[in-house]
Amino acid sequence: SSGINAEWPLRPGLIAGSGPAVNKGSTVTVQCRGMLTAGLKKFWDTRDPGQKPFTFQAGVGQVIAGWDEGCLTMCQGEKARITMVGEKGYGPGGFPAWNIPPNASLTFELEVLEVKA
């Protein structure tokens, strides 16, 4: 197993994206909600007050491994839920600032807003 699971659709009524695919090196802008898989407790949401969509370069290690691997399966306009094991997330150190315990499995709801080559 790759340690990640990309589910589509996230919930009824969502559609697959029809824009450019996310490729290694693409600059990607997403809306995101991050949750601990156990109990789906939210730790981050780009739609919360004071937050904004998140932009990163895909496939080059700027984000946790599960994000990189999951986003490389998506395209612009797509909404998906990506669940990953702890080693694909923040690993044995966790992320104390967001109350993410060591080796926690994580679930992210992602919407790809824009993909630039």
Side-chain angles (χ1 to χ4, degrees), residues 5-101:
N5 178 28
E7 299 174 45
W8 185 90
L10 175 59
R11 52 188 176 267
L14 295 187
I15 57 172
S18 58
V22 176
N23 295 303
K24 185 175 182 177
S26 296
T27 299
V28 184
T29 301
V30 298
Q31 290 283 19
C32 173
R33 172 186 287 238
M35 299 165 286
L36 298 176
T37 302
L40 295 179
K41 182 180 178 189
K42 179 182 81 171
F43 57 80
W44 178 46
D45 194 328
T46 58
R47 291 180 176 93
D48 283 347
Q51 296 290 316
K52 60 183 181 179
F54 182 73
T55 300
F56 67 100
Q57 193 173 9
V60 298
Q62 287 187 351
V63 294
I64 57 177
W67 255 54
D68 259 350
E69 294 172 26
C71 285
L72 289 171
T73 69
M74 298 178 71
C75 65
Q76 187 169 304
E78 185 171 350
K79 296 179 184 178
R81 176 179 280 191
I82 297 172
T83 301
M84 64 196 71
V85 296
E87 69 187 38
K88 298 287 185 171
Y90 293 101
F95 193 28
W98 284 354
N99 295 313
I100 298 172

